Amino acid sequence: MILFIKLLLAHLLGDFIWQPNSWVTDKETKKYKSKFLYFHILLHGTLAAILAGEIQFIPYAILIAVTHGIIDLIKLSFQKNNTKRTWFVTDQILHILILISIVLLYENKSIIFFWKENNFWILATGILLLTKPTSIFIKTIISIWSPESQNSNQDNSLANAGNYIGILERLFVFGFILTGHFEAIGFLLAAKSIFRFGDLKEAKDRKLTEYVMIGTLISFGIATIVGLIIQALLKLP
């Protein structure tokens, strides 16, 4: 695990901290002809080798650099202005998967190592449950109410913002419970209430206020219950 953390740190330094915007612009313009693409590849290999801190890891650092360059070149070749966000996310996921694969290869472990870990499956199930499945459940439960204000203000709201906010708040609650920081849940609920207060006060709609309260309490309630169950299954203090 510590090797993966070191390689992740090297990735973050190489991709975000020590990569100037001028490099990014030049790479997007010239693609494989950009000298900064190769500087970037060299930087990643060097950082991986240095932070790993082992001579025998150098061939793996070279492999990280080469695969990083290939992934970046694919992204630069196929991304368009309207697909940059999708390619950015895909690019980062592929880099992380490569790092995981390198760690498993270096430590002579198979991906089966994760598959046999009960805690991995318990944690993964809990996290997945709190995302879209819970959103659908809450939406179904509160669908019997449909405040007029909610419909009239749709144009002033970001697309699917409420859904994403709900998922993030449940994952925060889940993380707070697993780490034993129950007091942070209160701060999170208070922060959300403060931000929502202005909208609800301006709307002057009691039904909308009750609608938001019900959805929020169900969301926090489910996250709390799931967090406590997972905490018990993982036998965390």
Side-chain angles (χ1 to χ4, degrees), residues 12-64:
L12 295 176
L13 289 172
D15 246 20
F16 300 100
I17 306 300
W18 290 339
Q19 179 177 212
N21 290 333
S22 58
W23 287 22
V24 176
T25 302
D26 192 80
K27 288 191 301 179
E28 289 179 345
T29 303
K30 300 178 181 178
K31 299 180 173 51
Y32 70 90
K33 294 182 180 180
S34 172
K35 64 181 180 181
F36 296 114
L37 172 63
Y38 304 100
F39 289 168
H40 183 64
I41 293 171
L42 179 61
L43 176 62
H44 272 279
T46 303
L47 286 171
I50 292 174
L51 292 184
E54 298 177 359
I55 297 297
Q56 58 268 35
F57 189 79
I58 291 179
Y60 297 89
I62 295 173
L63 182 58
I64 289 174

Side-chain angles (χ1 to χ4, degrees), residues 64-221:
I64 289 174
V66 172
T67 53
H68 191 100
I70 293 172
I71 293 172
D72 275 10
L73 189 56
I74 292 173
K75 181 188 73 170
L76 292 170
S77 299
F78 291 99
Q79 75 175 4
K80 306 296 181 184
N81 287 333
N82 61 339
T83 60
K84 278 189 175 182
R85 182 174 62 178
T86 301
W87 275 106
F88 172 79
V89 174
T90 303
D91 171 81
Q92 293 302 315
I93 290 175
L94 289 176
H95 289 320
I96 299 302
L97 290 177
I98 289 294
L99 295 183
I100 293 173
S101 301
I102 293 293
V103 171
L104 293 175
L105 181 63
Y106 182 70
E107 296 185 347
N108 197 26
K109 290 181 178 179
S110 167
I111 193 66
I112 297 175
F113 170 77
F114 289 103
W115 285 68
K116 289 184 177 180
E117 280 288 323
N118 291 333
N119 287 355
F120 168 78
W121 289 107
I122 293 171
L123 193 60
T125 302
I127 292 174
L128 181 64
L129 176 61
L130 292 176
T131 56
K132 190 173 182 179
T134 300
S135 295
I136 294 174
F137 176 79
I138 294 175
K139 183 178 180 180
T140 302
I141 292 298
I142 64 177
S143 63
I144 57 175
W145 302 292
S146 183
E148 293 181 3
S149 296
Q150 184 195 34
N151 296 329
S152 60
N153 290 333
Q154 275 184 332
D155 293 338
N156 298 325
S157 177
L158 298 175
N160 295 318
N163 184 40
Y164 292 129
I165 291 172
I167 291 175
L168 288 172
E169 72 185 20
R170 289 192 293 275
L171 291 178
F172 275 124
V173 171
F174 183 71
F176 292 149
I177 290 176
L178 293 189
T179 56
H181 294 90
F182 288 88
E183 68 282 359
I185 300 175
F187 283 109
L188 180 62
L189 184 58
K192 182 177 181 180
S193 300
I194 291 172
F195 282 114
R196 272 293 193 175
F197 177 75
D199 293 336
L200 296 175
K201 183 179 180 181
E202 184 178 345
K204 297 180 180 179
D205 190 329
R206 181 174 179 178
K207 290 182 179 180
L208 177 60
T209 303
E210 292 171 345
Y211 183 86
V212 172
M213 285 294 296
I214 291 172
T216 297
L217 292 176
I218 292 176
S219 181
F220 273 77

